[in-house]
Amino acid sequence: MFKHLRIAAILLFAASFNTIAAAGYYSWKLPDSYYISSGSKLELSSFLPITADISKEKESLAAFYQNSSTVNTASLKLFGIIPIKNADVEEMETPMLIPGGEPFGIRLKMDGVMVIRLGAADTKNGTVCPAKDAGLRAGDIIESVNEQPVTSNDSLREAICAAEGEAVQIEFTRDGKEYSCSLKPAYSLSDNCFTAGIWVRDSLAGIGTMTFYDPASSSFGGLGHPICDSDTGVCIPIGEGSACPVTVKDIVKGTEGDPGMLEGEFYGDGSLGTILCNNRCGVFGKLSCSLPEKEAIPMAFKQEIEKGPAEIICTLNSSEPERYSIEITDIDHNGKDNTKNMIIRITDERLIDSTGGIVQGMSGSPIIQNGKIAGAVTHVFVDDPTRGYGIFCENMYRYGASYAG
């Protein structure tokens, strides 16, 4: 009898321990906030049953949603009994968006100029680097010289030369923070002029794929990840930006260890619209022309996305956007990287035959699941071009639509 009681106690302890461990796992794995359609309930898809008891109405936290209403607190419980965590739940009208899939050209003029590297000047006293001595480094954004705005490489050079060797005051940003420094130009014997000893970039161009556009506000979102400088990796601050028509001219097929790309070509002098924002979740702006008429579909909230079959929409070889089958193999609701919420795998042999899988230029291709826009393609796995990352459409809408809406 005592032996049976001991076994029962051990089994009860093991079950309790596993239950507590499961609650701890879900507390770490589940996000701290959710959005749901007005009048609906929060339903979570998980291996073990999780209930959400909603109460405690409070002021809205989501200013980025212009159609948001109230925020409530949901008590998440395992088996409806064991507390997991509290989460904010906000009701809102589900955004109705038109899925994209069309390639578009990106022309950006920076807000200031970006330092891409430092260089030495050959002077009569030897080689010096005034920019390094002043504390500047690659990735800094120079905004003004002696309180005069700097908008291009030429305007920076003119401001340095105009000082005729006198120290200048430079205002710049680094990692989003404002700084200033004093820089004394050096006279370069090889260039026969005063120099700061820096190379800068003031603009760039490329192509991407449109993820969605809102027929009500004419706002759009694309890429699903930031446009960063190729030399410094710093997110480009936008002074002026435009979305332009492009055509896909060729495909460089991706292979293991060598990502492919869509080779596009800008055509005409027209503009599709203005790019207003470049942030960690993509580029966003306003359309100035009419795009082909398509039906708007609901945006999927992150808790509605599930592992399993889905589709992406992209354009190859100058054709119209087409749908290709994929599988969502993993979902990370609470990761720190807002652009890597899902892992996807291309399953459509047509796309694999044409591109090898995911290639550069496909970033922003919308992911469709269960009739809703779930997200967008963002990155390819270098060692396996059939696999890559995707971002939640909710994140793109959250961090971008408020700029353009």
Side-chain angles (χ1 to χ4, degrees), residues 107 244-247 265-270:
R107 296 188 190 275
C244 308
V246 297
T247 182
E265 180 178 87
F266 288 74
Y267 67 88
D269 298 324

Side-chain angles (χ1 to χ4, degrees), residues 21-104:
Y25 168 78
Y26 283 119
S27 177
W28 165 71
K29 192 71 174 176
L30 295 175
D32 296 325
S33 62
Y34 295 91
Y35 299 91
I36 59 175
S37 297
S38 299
S40 65
K41 297 180 179 180
L42 175 61
E43 297 181 354
L44 303 179
S45 176
S46 59
F47 181 74
L48 298 177
I50 297 175
T51 60
D53 298 327
I54 299 178
S55 61
K56 300 179 183 179
E57 181 178 308
K58 62 182 181 180
E59 185 179 356
S60 173
L61 296 176
F64 45 81
Y65 281 134
Q66 298 180 9
N67 55 354
S68 60
S69 53
T70 58
V71 176
N72 301 306
T73 296
S75 177
L76 306 183
K77 296 179 181 179
L78 188 61
F79 302 113
I81 301 174
I82 302 170
I84 297 175
K85 69 192 303 184
N86 289 334
D88 289 336
V89 178
E90 181 163 358
E91 292 186 14
M92 60 173 291
E93 294 298 324
T94 303
M96 298 296 292
L97 307 171
I98 295 177
E102 301 89 353
F104 69 104

